[in-house]
Amino acid sequence: MCGFIGVIGSEAAVHEIYDGLVAVQHRGQDAAGIITYDGDRFHVKKGEGLVRDIFSAANMERLRGDIGVGHVRYPTVGSGGGEDAQPFTVNYPFGIVMAHNGNVANYDALRGELAEAGLRHLYSECDVEVLLNVFAKALADKSRDGFTLESYYDAVAECYRRVRGAYSVAGYIAGHGMFAFRDPYGIKPIAIGRKRRPDGGWAHAVVSESVVLDTIGYEHLETGPPGQVLFVDLEGNVTRHQVAPAKHHPCVFEFVYFSRPDSMIDGASVYGARSNMGERLARTFAERGLEIDVVVPVPDSGRTAALAMAQALGVPYREGLVKNRYVGRTFIMPDETQRRRSVRSKLNTIDEEFRGKRVLLVDDSIVRGNTSRQIVQMARQAGAVKVYFASTSPPLVHPCVYGIDMSTRREFVARDRTLAEIAQQLGADAVVYQELDDLIEAVRDEQPEIRQMCHACFSGDYPTGDITPEMLQLIEDERITQGK
Ligand code: 5GP
Ligand code: MG
């Protein structure tokens, strides 16, 4: 999972891109990059780590131009260093810059085809480079008489034909303008906005989470319909074109965990959806007939749903776990002991909230179960007499091939286990999961026009219909060799 922002027509482009990347830092803390264009040349800065650690005042000064693209990376394919960070460029045709959010599922096959039939050598392990090369080759073939919008539409159509997986893309073509497109399934979010310039013209931005538009003061224009391409030329004229029929299936995990609660995805409020998840989970929980004295959220992602759940159950909501916000996420720490230690440095209990109580802990999801197990243990040490664990999403049992680095099937604690067995693994007195239908309805309550969603990680039902067992195996093998 990653975050991007593209800006065109703004004098403050690099500053807006920087602020935008900070706003979606939660989407990737592994690496970041910005490439701007000043009408003559590209200016590049990439690095590993957090946005604030990569870009210095001197870099910002150097990244000139009123057009640019930035990206924060959460690795999916390729473990890569700073040089593997997005955006990527090709010099032919025209000079193109591209960044994406998603995952190219047929990466290996395309890489081979590009080398054999396209005579192109890729120099990174980053999947956007494959996408960019498919796009660039098609654009070159179609633009023998110069750049036209039709040649751009054809190049995107070629990507839709050849590139499997999920991708929301932002980029620009030197001397022509900024482009953006979303795959026909619309699995990854994208949003488009604009801002009035002092001279009366418009600056435009394409972002991977709507919250970025708020942060940089752009008005929301649209949510980037699936299968549709967008082009903003140097004069600020916007053209849209439906290249392939939409088969919209937005990712439900964006609502569960990934997106910020203050974002809107395809017209649905993430905060609202999480709140609905809490209400619906309260009903499932009530059917279990378990008595509790208090609901305690696992910060931060469990909070919104936990509050709604407590209200629905008529039980006090207490913040018994305190998070140190300066500790990095535990999920991505490389080895097990390190991960275990870091849960303690990240979370602490307020013992008073647990002592002598029957506690319901609420988190957004249970992945490997390591965090959850330790939190249950901490709750007991703090004096809880019963500890129940609720997940606002169903059991995670299938790998995500569309961009969420969900570990391998073997590692999911819920895989091939009954509820009682999972509870035992976590050391909890019981676990309660959201029903899949309830999860989907929690989002649809916010936006009924969303008819179908991608829930492959829960159901194994991959909406693009082209994910083969071999692809799943490849993804799994790669994650194992990377030691994740
Ligand atoms: P577990 O200990 O079960 O492996 O991890 C569960 C925790 O990981 C939950 O608190 C959830 O918020 C978080 N989580 C779920 N999915 C992801 C993800 O894709 N990336 C990161 N960094 N954390 C995740
Ligand atoms: Mg969490």
Side-chain angles (χ1 to χ4, degrees), residues 157-414:
E158 179 74 356
C159 292
Y160 288 166
R161 263 194 300 277
R162 293 180 63 191
V163 184
R164 305 275 71 88
Y167 38 93
S168 283
V169 179
Y172 57 89
I173 300 173
H176 296 285
M178 178 170 77
F179 62 86
F181 56 91
R182 191 181 190 192
D183 71 80
Y185 293 87
I187 294 173
K188 298 298 159 197
I190 191 167
I192 295 141
R194 66 175 182 180
K195 181 157 101 176
R196 183 72 87 177
R197 286 196 312 244
D199 70 0
W202 293 100
H204 288 87
V206 188
V207 300
S208 58
E209 230 181 271
S210 75
V211 64
V212 174
L213 297 175
D214 303 337
T215 307
I216 62 173
Y218 278 53
E219 145 201 0
H220 294 240
L221 267 186
E222 59 181 302
T223 58
Q228 202 181 87
V229 302
L230 177 109
F231 196 81
V232 186
D233 71 15
L234 302 179
E235 279 73 53
N237 301 308
V238 181
T239 324
R240 299 171 184 85
H241 185 72
Q242 193 73 32
V243 166
K247 304 170 199 161
H248 198 194
H249 284 72
C251 165
V252 78
F253 206 69
E254 287 279 348
F255 289 93
V256 169
Y257 170 80
F258 226 88
S259 287
R260 274 174 55 160
D262 46 345
S263 276
M264 300 283 293
I265 302 173
D266 294 315
S269 151
V270 174
Y271 181 83
R274 285 188 190 161
S275 200
N276 300 339
M277 286 173 210
E279 275 174 35
R280 286 179 177 267
L281 185 55
R283 279 180 235 156
T284 306
F285 182 77
E287 286 165 14
R288 297 278 292 269
L290 302 166
E291 301 269 319
I292 51 167
D293 302 305
V294 66
V295 171
V296 174
V298 177
D300 290 309
S301 41
R303 232 179 233 142
T304 311
L307 179 56
M309 198 173 173
Q311 276 166 350
L313 291 168
V315 173
Y317 165 93
R318 305 289 290 176
E319 304 233 347
L321 291 164
V322 177
K323 183 171 170 178
N324 176 348
R325 73 179 74 158
Y326 298 101
V327 176
R329 287 186 176 186
T330 56
F331 191 90
I332 28 195
M333 300 238 166
D335 80 61
E336 192 72 6
T337 18
Q338 214 181 330
R339 222 180 269 141
R340 202 157 288 184
R341 201 177 311 127
S342 80
V343 175
R344 289 285 171 159
S345 54
K346 183 169 157 178
L347 285 176
N348 191 23
T349 49
I350 297 173
D351 292 4
E352 198 46 43
E353 302 302 330
F354 292 92
R355 200 170 300 132
K357 293 184 181 161
R358 295 165 297 181
V359 179
L360 174 62
L361 295 166
V362 181
D363 204 351
D364 62 276
S365 58
I366 304 170
V367 189
R368 296 180 179 89
N370 295 326
T371 322
S372 327
R373 185 178 312 118
Q374 285 193 68
I375 293 171
V376 170
Q377 205 177 31
M378 286 166 69
R380 291 201 196 281
Q381 278 165 3
V385 291
K386 288 276 182 199
V387 182
Y388 305 112
F389 203 98
S391 163
T392 68
S393 58
L396 276 167
V397 277
H398 299 279
C400 177
V401 296
Y402 303 123
I404 294 184
D405 183 16
M406 265 275 209
S407 80
T408 65
R409 278 175 277 179
R410 295 187 312 179
E411 286 179 314
F412 289 124
V413 68

Side-chain angles (χ1 to χ4, degrees), residues 391-443:
S391 163
T392 68
S393 58
L396 276 167
V397 277
H398 299 279
C400 177
V401 296
Y402 303 123
I404 294 184
D405 183 16
M406 265 275 209
S407 80
T408 65
R409 278 175 277 179
R410 295 187 312 179
E411 286 179 314
F412 289 124
V413 68
R415 185 120 188 140
D416 300 325
R417 287 201 174 98
T418 63
L419 278 184
E421 287 166 348
I422 299 168
Q424 196 190 6
Q425 285 291 316
L426 303 187
D429 293 293
V431 289
V432 183
Y433 281 101
Q434 186 89 261
E435 299 291 333
L436 182 55
D437 287 348
D438 277 325
L439 177 60
I440 295 166
E441 290 309 314
V443 176

Side-chain angles (χ1 to χ4, degrees), residues 18-31:
Y18 179 94
D19 290 348
L21 292 182
V22 172
V24 286
Q25 184 77 78
H26 63 285
R27 299 186 69 85
Q29 302 94 47
D30 193 58

